[in-house]
Amino acid sequence: PAADVAVPRNRVRDLTALVVLAACVFVAAALATFDSADPPLSRVFPPNARATNACGLIGSAIAGSLQEALGLGAWLAVVLALAADIAVLRRRPLRDLPLRTIGAAVALAGGCTLLTLFLPDGIDRPLWGPGGRLGGMGRLLVDSYLARTGGAIVVIAATLGGLFLACDTVVLAAASAVGVATTAAVGGIRRVLGRLAARRAATAEPATAES
């Protein structure tokens, strides 16, 4: 299909994609090793004398800013950026880029709101909440205009719609994979239940004959 035709090789484009890939890895490492006591944005007392973040002061500042804004949704932002970058590295054409960008923003806002609304209390979360300030704003809108159930329906639909706009091919592939896995699991369960029923029947027949 025309949508799968690779774009011509462009060294500037490829170099930019590699820089973005390195940035995604850098941010992921900074998020994974973030400590809210690290300078320069320490939020707890006593603060650390020096940054323990794997990416130093810069990594600590970036991770702290992302967690304050997005909470755990910062990881979704990294995944979305990484998915777009991989598409560029594979020379896939990024058609409708403005629409895809809007979809990614909607999916990110919806994901942060869902984290704020439904993340279990037993799971560790940033100081600013599971979805950061963005998730807090989304929760405020949901509590103000929608009940929790209605808000969940609307936010989930918006998140899935945003993901579909941002990366429809990936979403369709994931849905297909989930469908195949579910079908295989159901088939496996049926086969196991059938074998158990056959064994029970075979065990019951000698007992009936003896009686």
Side-chain angles (χ1 to χ4, degrees), residues 121-187:
D121 294 334
I123 299 178
D124 292 337
R125 73 239 3 251
L127 293 174
W128 305 274
R133 297 187 183 277
L134 183 59
M137 292 175 59
R139 178 174 183 171
L140 179 62
L141 291 174
V142 168
D143 291 341
S144 299
Y145 300 102
L146 298 166
R148 187 60 58 91
T149 302
I153 294 172
V154 171
V155 175
I156 290 173
T159 304
L160 293 177
L163 286 174
F164 186 78
L165 286 176
C167 43
D168 49 352
T169 303
V170 175
V171 172
L172 290 175
S176 177
V178 170
V180 171
T182 302
T183 302
V186 171

Side-chain angles (χ1 to χ4, degrees), residues 35-165:
D35 185 345
S36 55
D38 279 351
L41 302 176
S42 55
R43 293 290 192 273
V44 298
F45 186 85
N48 294 332
R50 56 182 300 178
T52 60
N53 195 285
C55 298
L57 279 173
I58 295 177
S60 178
I62 292 174
S65 300
L66 285 174
Q67 290 211 359
E68 181 175 358
L70 307 174
L72 297 177
W75 288 102
L76 177 58
V78 172
V79 170
L80 290 172
L82 189 60
D85 191 59
I86 291 175
V88 173
L89 287 173
R90 296 180 62 189
R91 294 191 292 164
R92 300 298 184 188
L94 295 179
R95 295 185 174 86
D96 303 322
L97 186 57
L99 185 61
R100 291 180 184 275
T101 303
I102 293 173
V106 170
L108 184 59
C112 290
T113 302
L114 290 174
L115 285 170
T116 302
L117 288 172
F118 300 113
L119 187 73
D121 294 334
I123 299 178
D124 292 337
R125 73 239 3 251
L127 293 174
W128 305 274
R133 297 187 183 277
L134 183 59
M137 292 175 59
R139 178 174 183 171
L140 179 62
L141 291 174
V142 168
D143 291 341
S144 299
Y145 300 102
L146 298 166
R148 187 60 58 91
T149 302
I153 294 172
V154 171
V155 175
I156 290 173
T159 304
L160 293 177
L163 286 174
F164 186 78
L165 286 176

